Amino acid sequence: MYRGTFRYKGWCETLDAMKALNMLDDTIADYSGMNYTDFIAERAGTDSVDLRKKVALKLGIPEKSVAMESLEWLGFFTSETMNYGKTSPLKLLPAG
């Protein structure tokens, strides 16, 4: 993490959202064949229908918030396969 990371607009809100979704968990699980949408749905405890709306509701933030836009930009609402096997949610986060 760089010194300026915390100063980056929206970083604290995004990190708080990741924390609320248990994305900072270091418990190992099998994510074989899972895509990013499935991962976020699993972390949010919901299905993938209207996922952005459900995640925003769970977090208590607007769908157009900085945190939601950051999760979108990071690719967590895509159907791209993650290409991971047994790992932790924390290890799935992009490295800065």
Side-chain angles (χ1 to χ4, degrees):
M1 184 173 300
Y2 299 107
R3 180 175 176 231
T5 302
F6 289 118
R7 293 186 203 153
Y8 185 78
K9 184 178 179 179
W11 170 247
C12 291
E13 292 89 347
T14 302
L15 189 59
D16 193 43
M18 289 178 172
K19 179 183 170 196
L21 293 171
N22 295 319
M23 294 173 73
L24 306 180
D25 185 6
D26 64 352
T27 305
I28 303 296
D30 190 1
Y31 294 99
S32 300
M34 190 178 275
N35 65 37
Y36 287 102
T37 298
D38 295 334
F39 172 71
I40 288 291
E42 182 261 337
R43 294 278 95 192
T46 188
D47 58 41
S48 59
V49 177
D50 292 326
L51 185 58
R52 275 186 65 105
K53 185 179 208 170
K54 289 177 182 174
V55 169
L57 187 60
K58 177 177 177 69
L59 296 173
I61 59 177
E63 280 187 73
K64 294 291 184 182
S65 68
V66 172
M68 291 298 294
E69 295 298 322
S70 295
L71 291 173
E72 177 83 39
W73 183 83
L74 290 168
F76 285 112
F77 293 107
T78 68
S79 59
E80 180 184 341
T81 303
M82 295 193 304
N83 296 319
Y84 286 94
K86 291 185 178 181
T87 192
S88 71
L90 182 61
K91 296 274 185 176
L92 294 171
L93 299 180

